[in-house]
């Protein structure tokens, strides 16, 4: 007697067919055996082949979706790079055409009339002397006048207020202690604002071409010494230096409560005026700790004027000036030249899983210290997939991940085991938080890369992203955070230079390598 054959129907149910049935007959004995087989199979769990195929197909579709996201991200980066090269090409072409018709451009702005032409013209200047004087920028320097003017900026400023004055012009040079060979590919000027394509590892010096006229003071809240110092500083800058002062609405209310003398102090009313501050303010003074500097940086979504940070807080890694000597410090800074540190910021985009492509993102967020992705209140380990320029880096399993600037290397990243890095070193810090692996060590990546941190679909819980310790956002399965270096740094004034200030901050703030010296009365080599 031949054994029965078993096959699955279209509905996934077992059917049986013996060789006798195929030949057109079946005896009672074979029928009894078939019933036993049916009974045994019914006791077995149902077949899972169909479910397994669906799972495999679903995973394949997720892989395709990830590949499409990476392609779209690469396309967006390429479009942005092409637009930047197109802008540079059109700028150079306009300059070449101007030289052909009117001769070399002159960037001398000694007279008030020339300065007005340089700052208010909405296109390439049409009438310049035939020779370019050396005293404006020198042979290799870069002057803030050597830019195309944007007519939209002028029209927008007229709608806000006529009380603003034009910005002061300046130029940057760098080398050892502010001297040395100048380079054109580090710092570029767009409408008098600082942007960088890459960073210089040398000291950077700022020299005013025209004196600063407008100053913004940002003060730490809920502090009586800060409020008293702010009032005293406003009086001195107005009476002795003839500087126009801007403060936050809260600070202006406090000053007016103290005395009606401060009625000349200006402020703003809405976000539109805040977005135009960088076009009018020449200098920013912060009174507080590093948190006040972070607050100042968060106010400016684009270019940031030079910042003079005074130490009035508990930590001072970025606040190098002492409030007791504020008159001498500000007097020296207003005269110039001064050493500055260009502190880069990270630009973060949240891409939701429901987005059609990588270009459909939420409003970008700029951070000066770090962006942190953690597990929040969940008891499960954070599960994150990390990519660097579309190349897979690693899967993070632990409490979370810190993506930090070099300026933020002495903040949360240092507490999580990251290295202290000089703020002028170009790089992005990749630091895990309590990783579930002994071999997971921190990384320092080049600043030109784009990082993508995604919550996988099989993650047990959600992740939370915080930006400089605030603005927490929930990241569900499939959501991603795209991080790159922002083109607008935060220039902070140095008391001596960036290296001296950095070393002093880690010695005084962290007591770095502080220990007793070894005794000299012990045994010595003969």
């Amino acid at each position: 007697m031949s054994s029965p054959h078993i096959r699955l129907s279209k509905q996934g149910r077992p059917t049986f067919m013996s060789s006798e049935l195929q030949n057109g007959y079946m005896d009672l004995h074979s029928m009894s055996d078939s019933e036993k087989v049916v009974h045994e199979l019914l006791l077995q769990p149902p077949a899972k082949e169909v479910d397994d195929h669906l799972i495999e197909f679903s995973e394949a579709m997720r892989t395709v979706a990830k590949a499409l996201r990476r392609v779209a991200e690469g396309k967006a980066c390429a479009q942005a790079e092409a637009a930047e090269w197109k802008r540079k090409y059109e700028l150079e072409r306009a300059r070449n055409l101007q030289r052909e018709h009117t001769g070399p451009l002159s960037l001398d702005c000694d007279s008030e009339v020339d300065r007005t032409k340089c700052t208010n013209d909405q296109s390439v200047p049409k009438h310049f002397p035939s020779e370019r004087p050396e005293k404006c920028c020198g042979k290799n320097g870069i002057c803030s006048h050597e830019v195309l003017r944007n007519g939209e900026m002028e029209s927008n400023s007229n709608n806000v207020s006529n009380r603003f004055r034009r910005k002061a012009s300046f130029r940057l040079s760098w080398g050892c202690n502010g001297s040395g060979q100048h380079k054109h590919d580090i710092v570029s000027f767009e409408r008098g604002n600082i942007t960088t394509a890459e960073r210089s590892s040398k000291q950077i010096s700022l020299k005013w071409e025209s004196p600063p006229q407008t100053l913004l003071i940002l003060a730490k809240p809920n502090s009586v010494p800060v409020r008293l110092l702010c009032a005293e500083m406003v009086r001195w800058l107005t009476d002795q230096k003839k500087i126009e002062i801007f403060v936050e609405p809260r600070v202006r209310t406090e000053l007016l409560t103290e005395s009606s003398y401060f009625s000349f102090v200006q402020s703003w009313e809405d976000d539109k005026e805040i977005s135009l501050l960088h076009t009018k303010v020449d200098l920013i003074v912060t009174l507080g700790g590093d948190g006040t500097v972070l607050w100042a940086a968060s106010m400016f979504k684009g270019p940031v004027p030079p910042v003079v940070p005074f130490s009035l807080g508990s930590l001072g890694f970025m606040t190098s000036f002492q409030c007791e000597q504020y008159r001498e410090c500000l007097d020296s800074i207003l005269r110039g030249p001064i050493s500055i540190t260009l502190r880069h910021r990270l630009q973060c985009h949240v891409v939701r899983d429901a987005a059609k492509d990588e270009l459909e993102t939420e409003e970008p967020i700029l951070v000066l210290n770090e962006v942190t992705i953690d597990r929040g209140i969940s008891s499960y380990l954070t599960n994150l997939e990390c990519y660097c320029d579309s190349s897979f880096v690693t899967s993070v399993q632990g409490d979370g991940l810190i993506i930090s600037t070099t300026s933020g290397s002495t903040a949360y990243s240092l507490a999580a085991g990251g290295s202290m890095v000089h703020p002028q070193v170009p790089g992005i810090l990749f630091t895990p938080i309590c990783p579930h692996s002994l071999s997971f060590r921190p990384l320092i990546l080049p600043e030109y890369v784009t990082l993508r941190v995604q919550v996988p679909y099989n993650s047990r819980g959600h992740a939370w992203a915080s930006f400089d310790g605030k603005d927490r956002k929930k990241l569900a399965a499939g959501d991603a955070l795209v991080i790159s270096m922002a083109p607008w740094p935060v220039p902070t004034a140095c008391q001596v230079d960036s290296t001296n200030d950095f070393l002093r901050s880690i010695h005084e703030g962290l007591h770095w390598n502080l220990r007793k010296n070894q005794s000299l009365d012990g045994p010595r080599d003969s």
Side-chain angles (χ1 to χ4, degrees):
M1 180 180 61
S2 61
S3 60
H5 298 279
I6 304 171
R7 66 179 181 181
L8 293 177
S9 67
K10 294 182 179 180
Q11 291 78 15
R13 300 175 181 175
T15 59
F16 309 93
M17 186 176 294
S18 65
S19 58
E20 292 85 356
L21 181 61
Q22 295 176 10
N23 294 329
Y25 67 95
M26 176 183 293
D27 57 12
L28 295 176
H29 184 70
S30 61
M31 184 179 299
S32 176
D33 292 340
S34 299
E35 290 179 355
K36 292 181 180 180
V37 173
V38 170
H39 180 70
E40 292 175 357
L41 289 176
L42 289 176
L43 295 178
Q44 295 179 0
K48 297 184 179 180
E49 295 181 2
V50 177
D51 293 339
D52 293 339
H53 287 303
L54 289 176
I55 293 174
E56 292 177 1
F57 179 75
S58 177
E59 293 295 335
M61 292 303 295
R62 289 193 182 108
T63 303
V64 172
K66 292 179 182 178
L68 292 176
R69 284 196 181 97
R70 290 196 292 267
V71 171
E73 182 179 349
K75 181 180 178 181
C77 294
Q79 290 176 346
E81 184 176 0
E84 178 67 14
W85 280 108
K86 181 180 179 181
R87 183 191 61 78
K88 292 181 179 180
Y89 168 76
E90 292 176 350
L91 178 62
E92 187 65 25
R93 182 172 178 271
R95 290 174 179 170
N96 292 336
L97 292 176
Q98 185 65 29
R99 292 192 186 100
E100 293 177 0
H101 291 85
T102 62
L105 294 178
S106 173
L107 301 176
D108 188 13
C109 295
D110 291 337
S111 66
E112 187 65 28
V113 176
D114 291 337
R115 289 195 187 104
T116 303
K117 289 181 179 180
C118 287
T119 55
N120 293 334
D121 214 358
Q122 298 182 3
S123 60
V124 179
K126 298 182 179 179
H127 301 288
F128 286 95
S130 59
E131 296 183 358
R132 173 180 175 175
E134 298 293 335
K135 59 184 177 181
C136 181
C137 298
K139 294 182 179 180
N140 299 316
I142 306 178
C143 180
S144 60
H145 305 141
E146 193 178 359
V147 294
L148 289 174
R149 300 298 165 187
N150 190 345
E152 182 180 357
M153 177 193 70
E154 187 69 21
S155 61
N156 288 339
S157 61
N158 290 334
N159 295 332
V160 177
S161 177
N162 292 325
R163 61 174 180 258
F164 293 109
R165 294 185 182 181
R166 60 177 177 77
K167 288 190 65 174
S169 59
F170 55 85
R171 65 184 175 93
L172 299 184
S173 60
W174 47 92
C176 296
N177 297 325
S179 61
Q181 180 64 33
H182 301 267
K183 298 180 180 179
H184 284 268
D185 58 346
I186 302 296
V187 179
S188 61
F189 290 87
E190 294 295 335
R191 299 181 294 278
N193 301 306
I194 302 176
T195 63
T196 57
E198 55 181 304
R199 293 215 281 180
S200 171
S201 59
K202 300 180 180 180
Q203 303 296 342
I204 303 177
S205 176
L206 182 148
K207 182 178 180 180
W208 300 105
E209 291 292 330
S210 60
Q213 300 178 11
T214 306
L215 190 144
L216 170 63
I217 298 179
L218 298 176
K220 176 183 177 180
N222 304 322
S223 174
V224 175
V226 171
R227 186 167 65 251
L228 296 177
L229 176 62
C230 180
E232 182 182 345
M233 184 179 292
V234 169
R235 289 179 182 270
W236 180 76
L237 288 170
T238 304
D239 297 339
Q240 301 297 326
K241 299 299 180 180
K242 310 301 179 184
I243 300 279
E244 289 191 3
I245 304 297
F246 276 81
V247 296
E248 296 176 86
R250 170 187 57 83
V251 178
R252 187 175 189 274
T253 302
E254 293 175 353
L255 293 175
L256 290 176
T257 302
E258 179 179 342
S259 173
S260 60
Y261 166 81
F262 297 104
S263 59
F264 60 86
V265 176
Q266 304 179 49
S267 185
W268 53 86
E269 297 180 357
D270 51 30
D271 294 339
K272 183 178 181 181
E273 292 191 45
I274 295 178
S275 65
L276 293 174
L277 276 178
H278 74 278
T279 65
K280 306 302 176 183
V281 172
D282 299 324
L283 204 61
I284 302 173
V285 171
T286 62
L287 305 178
D290 288 350
T292 311
V293 179
L294 294 175
W295 169 247
S298 66
M299 287 182 57
F300 294 86
K301 307 304 180 183
V304 185
V307 180
V308 184
F310 284 91
S311 178
L312 283 161
S314 55
L315 286 179
F317 293 104
M318 290 186 285
T319 53
S320 55
F321 295 93
Q322 300 302 317
C323 59
E324 292 80 7
Q325 295 86 28
Y326 78 89
R327 297 189 181 187
E328 294 80 2
C329 294
L330 288 179
D331 188 65
S332 175
I333 288 170
L334 293 174
R335 289 197 314 267
I338 59 175
S339 294
I340 65 171
T341 300
L342 292 181
R343 300 182 181 273
H344 264 264
R345 294 184 289 178
L346 296 176
Q347 184 170 259
C348 308
H349 296 268
V350 177
V351 183
R352 299 298 179 184
D353 181 50
K356 298 178 181 178
D357 52 48
E358 293 293 334
L359 300 179
E360 186 179 337
T361 65
E362 297 182 3
E363 183 179 359
I365 303 174
L366 299 179
V367 297
L368 180 56
N369 267 357
E370 75 279 311
V371 53
T372 304
I373 305 100
D374 58 69
R375 62 181 182 176
I377 62 175
S378 174
S379 60
Y380 298 111
L381 293 177
T382 299
N383 189 7
L384 303 171
E385 294 179 350
C386 303
Y387 300 86
C388 177
D389 283 344
S390 300
S391 298
F392 179 73
V393 178
T394 188
S395 291
V396 177
Q397 288 185 314
D399 282 353
L401 178 67
I402 301 171
I403 307 296
S404 170
T405 65
T406 51
S407 293
S409 65
T410 52
Y412 196 179
S413 176
L414 178 64
S419 177
M420 292 185 293
V421 185
H422 190 290
Q424 291 287 143
V425 175
I428 301 176
L429 279 65
F430 186 91
T431 308
I433 305 174
C434 297
H436 202 251
S437 170
L438 295 177
S439 61
F440 196 169
R441 308 306 301 162
L443 294 177
I444 300 180
L445 301 169
E447 65 170 352
Y448 56 79
V449 302
T450 298
L451 298 177
R452 178 187 177 88
V453 181
Q454 181 168 352
V455 180
Y457 290 98
N458 60 352
S459 176
R460 289 186 174 184
H462 302 301
W464 292 84
S466 59
F467 309 88
D468 277 341
K470 56 185 180 181
D471 299 331
R472 286 177 66 83
K473 290 182 177 293
K474 182 179 179 180
L475 300 179
D479 294 345
L481 187 64
V482 179
I483 306 166
S484 60
M485 194 67 76
W488 306 285
V490 178
T492 57
C494 303
Q495 188 175 23
V496 181
D497 56 54
S498 60
T499 299
N500 185 286
D501 288 5
F502 171 71
L503 294 177
R504 187 181 70 253
S505 68
I506 62 175
H507 280 295
E508 297 178 357
L510 295 176
H511 304 293
W512 179 62
N513 197 28
L514 183 64
R515 64 180 299 273
K516 293 182 178 180
N517 291 328
Q518 195 171 18
S519 176
L520 299 178
D521 58 357
R524 302 182 182 181
D525 293 337
S526 57

